[in-house]
Amino acid sequence: RTAAIEAAAEEKPFRIEKLRKSKPVSIKGDEVKADEDMKVYKKNALEYGKSFRGSYTNKDTGESVFIGKNGLKEVLNHDYKNVEQLQSVAAIPMIIEESIYMDSMPNTDNKVDAEKFDYYVCGLKINGEDYTVRAVFVTPKDGARYYDHKLTKIEKGNLLDSLIGTTP
């Protein structure tokens, strides 16, 4: 764990409020070339994502996170018939930079060569529609990598409000 992530883990109530006050990242929703054939659409999303392979820095923790082909493929492995999931690939660099750290979990999946998974959350607007993104960064021996993300079709503030009174 980096010192910044260690410090962030100590301030969980603050993290939720920080997330609530954060501005969502925004994309038009037409960055990835659409296609009637969802397999072609998925391929277009992968090709689009390859254009920004490299490292990006998360503003919340200062962690440098690498986007590679495997991370892009993982994002496209589930919900690939969902247009918003395909379009969200265009927002990955901004998701890395703007998301708020929430928690870390040790890796218990022997299929993934990593020490831990770090969970980040941010708001995302796709063509004006609100989503909440839960992003996962994985930490193998050679530094943090973008592993996956999942969209929830609810604005982050509304999502947080819905959790009030529930078990942490």
Side-chain angles (χ1 to χ4, degrees):
R1 277 183 145 177
T2 66
I5 288 178
E6 196 71 45
E10 299 297 318
E11 48 187 44
K12 279 192 183 167
F14 171 71
R15 308 246 114 232
I16 299 296
E17 207 44 46
K18 190 172 189 178
L19 175 60
R20 183 183 307 280
K21 291 177 181 176
S22 68
K23 291 186 176 173
V25 298
S26 184
I27 59 173
K28 289 187 251 173
D30 63 0
E31 289 83 355
V32 173
K33 185 178 182 220
D35 198 285
E36 294 283 324
D37 182 337
M38 293 309 278
K39 288 183 180 182
V40 172
Y41 204 150
K42 178 180 174 180
K43 199 176 288 186
N44 292 346
L46 180 62
E47 287 306 311
Y48 184 91
K50 286 180 183 178
S51 69
F52 47 71
R53 280 195 271 186
S55 292
Y56 297 82
T57 301
N58 177 264
K59 293 176 185 174
D60 186 40
T61 62
E63 179 130 46
S64 180
V65 179
F66 181 80
I67 301 172
K69 190 164 112 178
N70 289 342
L72 293 169
K73 284 183 174 181
E74 190 67 33
V75 168
L76 296 169
N77 261 351
H78 52 76
D79 292 340
Y80 85 87
K81 293 184 179 180
N82 178 306
V83 169
E84 290 78 15
Q85 182 75 15
L86 296 174
Q87 287 295 334
S88 71
V89 166
I92 291 175
M94 293 180 286
I95 292 169
I96 290 173
E97 293 170 350
E98 302 297 333
S99 59
I100 305 298
Y101 170 80
M102 288 292 133
D103 203 2
S104 295
M105 299 291 289
N107 179 22
T108 58
D109 183 349
N110 59 7
K111 294 180 224 156
V112 179
D113 181 25
E115 298 170 13
K116 66 181 174 98
F117 293 97
D118 297 321
Y119 297 92
Y120 289 73
V121 178
C122 73
L124 172 63
K125 282 188 181 284
I126 302 175
N127 193 24
E129 287 285 321
D130 285 307
Y131 295 85
T132 299
V133 179
R134 185 207 63 179
V136 183
F137 304 168
V138 65
T139 307
K141 309 290 184 246
D142 60 350
R145 295 184 173 274
Y146 198 82
Y147 182 69
D148 196 5
H149 75 244
K150 183 85 172 143
L151 301 180
T152 301
K153 192 170 172 46
I154 184 170
E155 191 273 332
K156 66 179 171 55
N158 293 338
L159 179 64
L160 291 171
D161 288 346
S162 74
L163 298 176
I164 292 175
T166 61
T167 304

